[in-house]
């Protein structure tokens, strides 16, 4: 089946620093990828839609200058949390839609971010 | 906002029993649904999908039923095992896929 990877799987950083998370579709091309955030015991919240070759579309309430998204190729999207603060600590999950073969959305394993 | 939601936040079953997780949706034009399983500390895992031209679809130990009349779908897990313990989400396959709270399935040994 389709595989989506994320790197790193977990990261700990100091407050004020920036952290980059990578999302890759390993065996299919994804013109659109999605970034979600999940707090403990809560559901996934869509943050933004990442479009290859164009600007990301952010959900209401998500700061685009804080959560920078770059979708440089058909298999890679990155999320950079800039000037991270403890309240940004969360589980970040990406997904990618395989439009060619299955038209199904597949999720990555997630990245646990802890900001000290 | 979300267009699909789950009925019960938690479900506890005995190992070996069958589990049924329900989901309702509001958009009658929705034509493709996916069930995901999320284990603790992991991303959602695709389980099974169903399109609106079908009423039922079976996989390995799982069956999804779709009732378009009442806009309801269910996930049935046969002979539930401890490894099935997770949070289950139903979702409409759309670009801005959103999730409800999910149903936490606990399997008692």
């Amino acid at each position: 089946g389709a595989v989506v990877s994320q790197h790193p799987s977990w990261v700990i950083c100091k407050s004020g620093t920036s952290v980059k998370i990578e999302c890759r579709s390993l065996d299919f091309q994804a013109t659109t990828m999605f970034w979600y955030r999940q707090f403990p015991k809560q559901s996934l919240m869509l943050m933004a839609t990442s479009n290859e070759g164009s600007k990301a579309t952010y959900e209401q309430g998500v700061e685009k200058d804080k959560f920078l998204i770059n979708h440089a190729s058909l298999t890679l999207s990155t999320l950079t949390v800039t000037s991270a603060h403890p309240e940004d600590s969360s589980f970040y999950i990406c997904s990618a839609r395989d439009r060619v073969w299955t038209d199904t959305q597949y999720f990555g394993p997630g990245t646990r971010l802890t900001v000290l | 906002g979300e267009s699909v939601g789950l009925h019960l936040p938690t479900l506890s079953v005995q190992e070996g029993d069958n589990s049924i997780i329900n989901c309702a949706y509001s958009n009658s034009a929705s034509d493709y649904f996916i069930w995901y399983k999320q284990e603790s500390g992991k991303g959602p895992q695709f389980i099974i999908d169903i399109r609106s031209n079908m009423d039922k679809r079976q996989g390995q130990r799982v069956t999804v039923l779709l009732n378009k009349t009442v806009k309801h779908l269910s996930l049935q897990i046969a002979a539930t095992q401890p490894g099935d313990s997770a949070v289950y989400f139903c979702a409409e396959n759309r670009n801005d896929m959103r999730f409800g709270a999910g149903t936490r399935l606990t399997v008692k040994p």
Side-chain angles (χ1 to χ4, degrees), chain B residues 2-70:
Chain B
E2 62 190 62
S3 61
V4 291
L6 290 160
H7 286 177
L8 293 174
T10 61
L11 177 65
S12 183
V13 300
Q14 205 71 37
E15 181 178 357
D17 288 351
N18 297 333
S19 303
I20 299 177
I21 301 172
N22 295 302
C23 183
Y25 62 96
S26 57
N27 184 0
S28 57
S30 300
D31 60 0
Y32 184 17
F33 300 93
I34 304 174
W35 280 97
Y36 293 96
K37 170 188 180 183
Q38 187 180 26
E39 296 176 85
S40 181
K42 298 182 180 180
Q45 175 189 1
F46 173 91
I47 302 175
I48 192 169
D49 59 359
I50 189 167
R51 298 180 188 270
S52 60
N53 61 349
M54 304 174 72
D55 297 322
K56 178 180 180 179
R57 189 158 190 229
Q58 288 184 293
Q60 187 176 14
R61 283 200 306 118
V62 294
T63 300
V64 56
L65 300 178
L66 175 62
N67 185 330
K68 294 178 285 294
T69 303
V70 295

Side-chain angles (χ1 to χ4, degrees), chain A residues 10-111:
Chain A
W10 59 271
V11 56
I12 301 173
C13 69
K14 293 182 178 180
S15 186
T17 61
S18 295
V19 174
K20 179 185 284 188
I21 303 170
E22 292 186 350
C23 176
R24 294 181 186 271
S25 55
L26 297 187
D27 48 5
F28 65 98
Q29 293 183 333
T31 54
T32 308
M33 292 183 171
F34 307 90
W35 288 96
Y36 293 81
R37 181 168 52 182
Q38 186 176 35
F39 293 107
K41 305 294 185 184
Q42 294 187 21
S43 188
L44 288 79
M45 297 300 296
L46 179 64
M47 298 175 66
T49 301
S50 172
N51 304 297
E52 188 267 337
S54 64
K55 292 183 178 180
T57 305
Y58 291 83
E59 293 297 303
Q60 191 172 7
V62 178
E63 301 175 56
K64 62 180 181 180
D65 295 329
K66 181 169 184 63
F67 299 99
L68 301 179
I69 292 173
N70 184 272
H71 195 150
S73 75
L74 288 173
T75 59
L76 172 65
S77 175
T78 61
L79 168 69
T80 301
V81 183
T82 63
S83 187
H85 291 285
E87 57 266 30
D88 297 323
S89 298
S90 188
F91 193 49
Y92 291 87
I93 308 169
C94 73
S95 69
R97 190 162 177 177
D98 177 6
R99 293 187 180 277
V100 175
W101 297 109
T102 64
D103 197 30
T104 298
Q105 198 160 315
Y106 299 95
F107 287 81
T111 297

